[in-house]
Amino acid sequence: GQQVQQSPASLVLQEGENAELQCNFSSTATQLQWFYQRPGGSLVSLLYNPSGTKHTGRLTSTTVTKERRSSLHISSSQITDSGTYFCAALFNTGNYKYVFGAGTRLKVIA
Amino acid sequence: EAAVTQSPRNKVTVTGGNVTLSCRQTNSHNYMYWYRQDTGHGLRLIHYSYGAGNLQIGDVPDGYKATRTTQEDFFLLLELASPSQTSLYFCASSDHNTEVFFGKGTRLTVV
């Protein structure tokens, strides 16, 4: 079936360090999106990136669809970046459905 | 701006009770989704729909029904709620060539 794998599962950084989060998906996805969530909170869309490289603020996402992977780079991490980062891929199964990875839990410490 | 509105935001019910979670989107999207989120898991797809009257089974459908009454409205029904259905529920909408937009979530507690 359609699967989305994220790595690492968790990550601890010192403030100011960079982070690289990975997302791999099991078959050809047509859309790819990164989300952020604080514990028990709403989902915040960070980047919608079906292919190529996109930037917003300190975030850069690179998606290589034919290699079934996407990455999210966070530069100069801040304590307020702490939370869980999810990637979601849209699969065409005859219908279209978004499937989520299990997330990467990021903790940034001073 | 694209919008997905869920109601209620919080709900407490008893085991065996009936619960209906509502979702409305103003994005003119064809697809709507219901997910649940539990500690230690990402979002898991319960049901989804590609238009009024249509229903597709997701990955964790047991114990849930859903109905898409209009393009805008998608409902999740728990007819005999159980404590295992205590969770954070999210509704979303998209099209096949767009990003997905989420509601703010409904926290359901079954006691």
Side-chain angles (χ1 to χ4, degrees), chain A residues 44-77:
Chain A
V44 176
S45 179
L46 297 174
L47 280 165
Y48 170 62
N49 187 21
S51 65
T53 298
K54 296 202 174 169
H55 308 270
T56 181
R58 294 181 291 106
L59 304 178
T60 301
S61 172
T62 299
T63 299
V64 185
T65 307
K66 63 181 180 181
E67 295 182 11
R68 303 176 183 175
R69 61 178 175 86
S70 181
S71 64
L72 180 69
H73 181 86
I74 306 172
S75 63
S76 303
S77 62

